[in-house]
Amino acid sequence: MTRNSIRLAALASIAALSLAAMPAAQAGGPQGFEMHHPEAHARAPQGFGHGQLVTVDWVLKNGSDDQMVTLRGRFTEHIRGDKYEFVDEQGNGITAELDHDRDWSMVHRGALVEISAEIDRDWNRTELDVRSARPLGK
């Protein structure tokens, strides 16, 4: 074998090993892009920015415990302690927790907000644990 053919064989071996070491295509699809369907968002890594907007109805029917979601709506009622009624743009309500250890001064009763929240699902109830809220105007 000549020197060039040895080099060529070595490069081909390195290329083949590099391809073999690459992970196979993932069933969940590319990560880090805006998801176009809430079902796809449910399979993606959670907690990285804002995802696809969902509704209270979607959360109640499809949401899983500890899943991060984004909703738009209004806080309409104080239930007790750190629990509030959150009503989405479709008029469906859910209990949402605003932890006392955070600054919620940007949240006003009846004002439109976009929230990022973690779903808290038990066997007999589903609530939202709000992580952040962003006012959207009136």
Side-chain angles (χ1 to χ4, degrees), residues 35-55:
M35 300 300 176
H36 297 289
H37 303 289
E39 294 81 10
H41 179 67
R43 294 188 306 268
Q46 302 298 307
F48 297 98
H50 298 289
Q52 175 74 25
L53 285 174
V54 298
T55 64

Side-chain angles (χ1 to χ4, degrees), residues 43-84:
R43 294 188 306 268
Q46 302 298 307
F48 297 98
H50 298 289
Q52 175 74 25
L53 285 174
V54 298
T55 64
V56 168
D57 188 49
W58 186 91
V59 167
L60 296 173
K61 290 179 181 176
N62 304 303
S64 59
D65 190 40
D66 297 330
Q67 179 181 358
M68 291 298 296
V69 292
T70 302
L71 299 96
R72 284 189 181 158
R74 302 169 194 282
F75 288 95
T76 60
E77 182 181 336
H78 179 234
I79 299 170
R80 71 183 176 289
D82 57 1
K83 307 283 186 183
Y84 295 81

Side-chain angles (χ1 to χ4, degrees), residues 24-131:
Q26 296 180 2
Q31 304 301 314
F33 296 93
E34 285 287 317
M35 300 300 176
H36 297 289
H37 303 289
E39 294 81 10
H41 179 67
R43 294 188 306 268
Q46 302 298 307
F48 297 98
H50 298 289
Q52 175 74 25
L53 285 174
V54 298
T55 64
V56 168
D57 188 49
W58 186 91
V59 167
L60 296 173
K61 290 179 181 176
N62 304 303
S64 59
D65 190 40
D66 297 330
Q67 179 181 358
M68 291 298 296
V69 292
T70 302
L71 299 96
R72 284 189 181 158
R74 302 169 194 282
F75 288 95
T76 60
E77 182 181 336
H78 179 234
I79 299 170
R80 71 183 176 289
D82 57 1
K83 307 283 186 183
Y84 295 81
E85 180 75 11
F86 178 82
V87 177
D88 68 10
E89 293 179 303
Q90 286 69 40
N92 298 313
I94 190 169
T95 299
E97 182 177 320
L98 298 175
D99 286 331
H100 292 303
D101 61 347
R102 296 187 186 191
D103 179 9
W104 298 110
S105 60
M106 80 295 285
V107 174
H108 297 275
R109 183 180 189 156
L112 186 62
V113 293
E114 182 175 282
I115 62 170
S116 291
E118 182 178 311
I119 298 173
D120 183 11
R121 184 182 290 276
D122 289 334
W123 67 276
N124 64 347
R125 68 164 177 77
T126 301
E127 295 181 351
L128 297 175
D129 186 3
V130 180
R131 303 297 183 179

